[in-house]
Amino acid sequence: PAKLLALPLKLYASGNSAPCLGGVENDPDSITPLISTLPSDEFWTAFDRRYGVNPALQSEELKRYVEPSLRRDFALVEKYRGVLPNDNNARYEGVKPRKLPRGVPLVAIGANGDERYAREQVTAWCMHVDGGCGGSVFDERWFDGAAPETPSGPGSAGLGPSASRGGARWATPHRIVIEYPDELLAYLGEDVNALVAAMGEAPVAAAAAA
């Protein structure tokens, strides 16, 4: 028999639209919503526009190495078709959006200024929990993901690694978890410690929450 796993205490869904809004037709990129099939030059132009011009990806040799893998990832996302609860399409007859097990809380996390999703696409995560958007197990949190034009250097505390080093900022707000994590980590540290405290365990460091 299959071994049953313990349910998670809480799920944090960050930086993406709800699964029920998957597919290229729901992609907020109105210029190149279908990126996986673009010619190489156009692919990298679209990639940089979406996520910022990554200094680590300026080598043509490295681009040739990672491009096939990136294309496969994008193709999977573009081909995925989510199902809304009120979808009457016969193709999806009898199919319902998969929900978390009853009682498992979900926090949908977005970055202000992130153009990879609309606010309502993040809110739609509530359709994957019992009780929907008004239920007690759904929460939505928004944090400041700094844009590349935001000044960096001394006095930029809270805006991530490149700011603390005084370096030029290149990433779009979509990379908040990697480039601008301070505010998000502070929230996760508090929230995870609250969960741990409710279990009667010792507090954990904020960094462990990431």
Side-chain angles (χ1 to χ4, degrees):
K3 183 178 180 180
L4 296 179
L5 300 177
L7 293 177
L9 295 177
K10 181 177 284 191
L11 173 65
Y12 300 90
S14 174
N16 215 337
S17 303
C20 60
L21 294 177
V24 67
E25 65 271 19
N26 291 311
D27 196 292
D29 184 350
S30 60
I31 300 174
T32 51
L34 187 66
I35 189 175
S36 65
T37 58
L38 292 175
S40 186
D41 288 349
E42 295 179 28
F43 173 86
W44 286 108
T45 297
F47 185 90
D48 290 347
R49 180 172 47 78
R50 285 185 178 189
Y51 307 110
V53 182
N54 190 336
L57 282 176
Q58 298 313 298
S59 162
E60 292 302 320
E61 182 178 1
L62 181 58
K63 284 184 176 181
R64 285 193 297 270
Y65 180 76
V66 302
E67 185 175 327
S69 178
L70 289 173
R71 285 183 181 276
R72 287 192 292 269
D73 288 346
F74 282 120
L76 287 174
V77 173
E78 291 164 356
K79 292 176 182 177
Y80 179 81
R81 294 297 179 269
V83 184
L84 292 168
N86 60 352
D87 194 331
N88 295 318
N89 192 319
R91 176 182 176 188
Y92 299 121
E93 185 175 357
V95 178
K96 297 180 180 180
R98 181 172 295 178
K99 292 188 176 184
L100 287 177
R102 184 179 299 274
V104 175
L106 184 151
V107 182
I109 295 172
N112 293 317
D114 189 349
E115 297 181 353
R116 290 302 301 135
Y117 43 78
R119 283 188 99 84
E120 58 266 26
Q121 291 178 311
V122 173
T123 302
W125 275 96
C126 69
M127 302 170 80
H128 295 273
V129 297
D130 286 318
C133 295
S136 60
V137 296
F138 177 74
D139 192 12
E140 184 177 343
R141 298 281 177 146
W142 289 83
F143 300 95
D144 287 326
E149 61 270 19
T150 306
S152 61
S156 300
L159 293 180
S162 62
S164 62
R165 294 193 301 268
R169 199 176 277 109
W170 60 268
T172 64
H174 187 69
R175 288 178 60 88
I176 184 173
V177 172
I178 299 173
E179 294 294 323
Y180 321 113
D182 301 29
E183 187 183 9
L184 175 58
L185 283 178
Y187 160 71
L188 290 175
E190 293 178 3
D191 205 52
V192 170
N193 274 327
L195 287 174
V196 171
M199 299 172 60
E201 303 288 344
V204 296

